[in-house]
Amino acid sequence: MDEASYIYNKTIASFNDIFYNGIMKSLAIVGLQFGDEGKGKLTDTFAKEFDVVIRYQGGNNAGHTVYANGKKYVLHLLPSGIIHTHTINVMGNGMVIDLEALEKELEPFDVKQVRISNRAHLITPLHRFLDQQAENQAPQKIGTTLKGIGPAYQLKAIRLGIRMGSLFHLDRFKSELKQLYAHYGFKEDSEAYVNRLTPFIQRILPSIIDVGSFLEEAKEKGQSMLFEGAQGMMLDLDHGTYPFVTSSHPSPTSAAIDLGISQGWISRTLGVVKAYTTRVGEGPFPTEYVDRVSQSIRERAHEYGATTGRPRRIGHLDLVMLKHAVRVAGVTELAVTLFDILSGVEPLKICTHYRLDDKDIVTIPGHAEDLQQVVPVYLSFSSWNQDISMVRTYEALPDAAKAYLGFIESTLKRPIRYISVGPQREQLIEVNHD
Ligand code: IMP
């Protein structure tokens, strides 16, 4: 049996185990490119089948757009399960949390549905200020979301961070904050900040817990768990296009540390791949192109950042990056999103490898400058013109569309299980591999 068939059969077997043989049902969903792969819709689609939905990293730099019950929800901090009232939504210690952003986002929802790690770090106005300052002064602009994400992880690593657990003793929290502001010469009134937030802090206190123990109990009760990665693998602090990355690890392989659970709890990892590539912010992007076609993709797919509104850069699909991401994230199966957008796109190309210094390379160079210089090598595909947004079965897709998908599947050696052909929940093709 070749490697592709082996992995494929293994995935099917584990799927059957999980759903039919009663092994704890757990699934991680992770974006394999630069974020904005449309994970929100998939997480939302799956969330209704799970008891607990968990975010393990990042903060309100994320933007998950979900269309449900005739409404559009843009979630930044809360796990996407929040829309389903039967779910408990967990925010792990690997997250960085801005109380002001959380207050606003929680407004339409019931706080009883939420659990927040007492070890998650706080983002305050100081962190946002430091983010802006770093962008103004750094030798190279990263194009961050300016939400204070990087400084929150930075202060955590240099052991100056303040954690959610501090909120249990407001006097202590006030003095910690005052000291931190003084340390950075930050002139805002920290006491007034805490006073303004006090009613909200009182509201969320019962939800601030030891998340690892909570999840262990949930596991013992046989509850199912959905792990939701934010951003995307190419923005991973270690495995992305450093330094043009975020400051956490979107990879579900980091969920154990970011939640305080054991490795091995995640039995399936669904890697979400946008049918082409987008990136918001600075940094190398080998397959980027700027012309009428990319412009039309941006407008048709409304490729503007959900958090910052910035226009997203557009590029061809890049299998070098995807192969890297599949390995690092431990992906067992794939979902392809925004596939309807490719109808009529011509030329339609997929990058199979790079050329650097007259050599073919199939891995991502470790230095951003080298990645900036690679020349992508493409394979061309026939395009199709039919609108596929109403298609609900794999069989009904045009042959050219199947060829495009088939190439992704065979190169990445993982089965494509879902194809999203529009923003609505029902615009999803489930591919039957049985
Ligand atoms: P930060 O996470 O705000 O520090 O930004 C670092 C980089 O990650 C910037 O290029 C951001 O545009 C990008 N980024 C952060 N979060 C997201 C996301 O959820 N989707 C897409 N890009 C993101």
Side-chain angles (χ1 to χ4, degrees), residues 7 41 44 67 88 179 185 205 249 284 291 354 361 376 385:
I7 290 170
K41 171 183 160 176
D44 168 62
Y67 294 84
I88 294 293
Q179 260 183 36
L205 275 188
H249 299 288
D291 64 10
Y354 303 145
I361 55 168
N385 283 317

Side-chain angles (χ1 to χ4, degrees), residues 2 14 28 54 108 121 146 166-167 225 235 265 294 307 341 398 421:
D2 66 10
S14 90
I54 305 155
H121 279 247
L146 299 177
S166 287
L167 302 183
M225 297 184 196
L235 291 175
W265 280 29
S294 64
T307 300
I341 299 297
V421 289

